[in-house]
Amino acid sequence: MKMKVLMHYTILENVYNLFESSGEITYSERVKEVENFYNTYSRNHENLFFIIAYTNNLKVKYSVGKITYKNNRFFFNKVRSEISNILIEELGIKDNNTYEKDYYYKVLHIDDDIAFRNKKLDQISSKIKLKYFSWRELTAKNEILFKKISNLIFDKGNIINLATTYTPDAAYDERLIVKKCFSALKNLGFIKKGGIDTTQTILQGDIGEFLMHSLVSEFLESNSDKYIYPKLIFKTNPTMAVYGNDGSIYIPEKKEIYYLEAKFYNSLTEALNRAVDSLEKHNDDLYEDLNYSAELFRNIKTNRTHELIEITDDVTEKLIIFLICADTYQEAEVKKIIEKNCKVKKLKEKFEVVIFVLPILDKENFLKFFQIQSELEGEKYYDFK
């Protein structure tokens, strides 16, 4: 879905100054433009950004906020500089004079396929969060985050790529796609006739693995081809655990292979400790001979399997730990917990470790939300069948 942004261009500094802070939008012409924009897009977009672009000769300054509607009035709620910078960069208008004579309002859009962003905390750790929302918004309304995460899990493309070995051709049959997704979701236990049991630790682990693969494969830095080997493709029963590493990512050009481990706990510290313990359990046979099933690796760029790839003997083995937690989201605190963890320090002595943290804010309420979404999605598949 394309995210819509209303741009208001001005060469008047006093107009720009009106939007230096949050407040009601009052000038009749601006109210009219904002109202038209709101009425057109508010039903399908949770973010309606309003950007004031002040142009003075060759220089341009931006004030960025979100449009809200209350008691028949429109308000400009200025966002923090972090979100403002992301939005301006994604629109491709940074340091550009975008003013056109007699064009004072324009609707721009962003292809919002990846709604999350990955922010580096230090050399080994990063934190993943929703791209266009502040933590204040997310803590006030958890459902925003829960909905985005559920959308990732029930996205047909993600299901095909992460839980099946099927590669649709150019003239794919929609019925076959639905059939493959239906089978995969049942095997994972993400849908079930009569409803799912979100208290099952295997189900929670599979949710963690699914999110890990869909996010880490996007955010792992590489300019070359990446191949992903998700263990979820081997699930044939929701109560069956697939043993060994949770998956692998192979980058042939860099001769690097990453072994992945996902954990989903309330506590970041507990998630981190459990992840290291799991990795140490199969430390002796950490290197998996994946050549025998190399055709099951999926090329992230093309989404195709069954490509002829060779995993050479001189690959460098690295570890990725993906943690979903509910007890902390502040950058400084996340970084502190990771840096002080003794188990991580010991693991780093043997391997290069990369850690991704996805704060979910409230595990119990997320699982309740996911259960409801599961029922809604399940109804679609069972009705289709």
Side-chain angles (χ1 to χ4, degrees), residues 195-214:
I196 62 173
D197 180 6
T198 56
T199 64
Q200 292 184 351
T201 55
I202 290 178
L203 173 64
Q204 294 176 16
D206 288 343
I207 289 173
E209 286 187 38
F210 194 99
L211 292 172
M212 173 181 68
H213 283 101
S214 60

Side-chain angles (χ1 to χ4, degrees), residues 346-380:
K346 289 182 180 179
L347 191 66
K348 283 171 60 182
E349 293 174 0
K350 301 177 183 177
F351 299 99
E352 184 174 327
V353 181
V354 180
I355 300 174
F356 293 88
V357 178
L358 173 63
I360 206 167
L361 299 176
D362 191 319
K363 180 181 178 181
E364 182 180 353
N365 281 330
F366 166 73
L367 291 173
K368 288 179 181 177
F369 184 93
F370 182 77
Q371 187 170 31
I372 294 170
Q373 292 302 114
S374 168
E375 292 174 7
L376 294 174
E377 294 290 333
E379 287 174 4
K380 296 178 190 176

Side-chain angles (χ1 to χ4, degrees), residues 37-92:
F37 178 72
Y38 185 87
N39 290 338
T40 303
Y41 300 112
S42 63
R43 291 182 184 87
N44 299 318
H45 297 266
E46 66 241 317
N47 271 321
L48 292 177
F49 282 101
F50 187 30
I51 300 181
I52 288 68
Y54 166 55
T55 302
N56 180 7
N57 295 323
L58 296 177
K59 293 184 179 180
V60 61
K61 294 195 296 185
Y62 299 102
S63 186
V64 181
K66 292 185 179 181
I67 296 170
T68 55
Y69 180 67
K70 187 177 181 181
N71 298 329
N72 296 318
R73 296 186 295 171
F74 290 97
F75 294 87
F76 175 82
N77 293 296
K78 192 164 183 179
V79 300
R80 295 180 62 179
S81 59
E82 181 181 14
I83 297 177
S84 175
N85 293 338
I86 293 170
L87 193 66
I88 289 168
E89 184 176 336
E90 301 242 334
L91 285 168

Side-chain angles (χ1 to χ4, degrees), residues 40-176:
T40 303
Y41 300 112
S42 63
R43 291 182 184 87
N44 299 318
H45 297 266
E46 66 241 317
N47 271 321
L48 292 177
F49 282 101
F50 187 30
I51 300 181
I52 288 68
Y54 166 55
T55 302
N56 180 7
N57 295 323
L58 296 177
K59 293 184 179 180
V60 61
K61 294 195 296 185
Y62 299 102
S63 186
V64 181
K66 292 185 179 181
I67 296 170
T68 55
Y69 180 67
K70 187 177 181 181
N71 298 329
N72 296 318
R73 296 186 295 171
F74 290 97
F75 294 87
F76 175 82
N77 293 296
K78 192 164 183 179
V79 300
R80 295 180 62 179
S81 59
E82 181 181 14
I83 297 177
S84 175
N85 293 338
I86 293 170
L87 193 66
I88 289 168
E89 184 176 336
E90 301 242 334
L91 285 168
I93 58 176
K94 188 175 182 180
D95 298 325
N96 289 334
N97 183 343
T98 54
Y99 174 72
E100 298 177 38
K101 190 176 185 301
D102 298 328
Y103 285 90
Y104 303 112
Y105 295 91
K106 191 184 296 183
V107 176
L108 305 181
H109 71 263
I110 296 173
D111 291 320
D112 191 24
D113 292 335
I114 301 297
F116 293 81
R117 69 181 294 253
N118 181 46
K119 185 170 184 180
K120 294 282 287 184
L121 301 181
D122 54 34
Q123 188 177 0
I124 70 164
S125 60
S126 300
K127 186 180 69 171
I128 298 172
K129 72 179 291 285
L130 280 185
K131 194 182 292 184
Y132 305 112
F133 290 91
S134 67
W135 284 114
R136 184 178 63 183
E137 291 174 290
L138 297 179
T139 52
K141 192 176 181 182
N142 294 167
E143 290 84 358
I144 297 171
L145 175 61
F146 298 166
K147 179 65 175 174
K148 289 290 187 184
I149 290 175
S150 296
N151 287 347
L152 274 180
I153 294 172
F154 290 110
D155 177 80
K156 286 190 180 72
N158 283 341
I159 296 165
I160 292 293
N161 292 339
L162 304 179
T164 79
T165 58
Y166 176 63
T167 301
D169 59 28
Y172 69 88
D173 186 325
E174 177 63 20
R175 180 168 287 275
L176 182 56

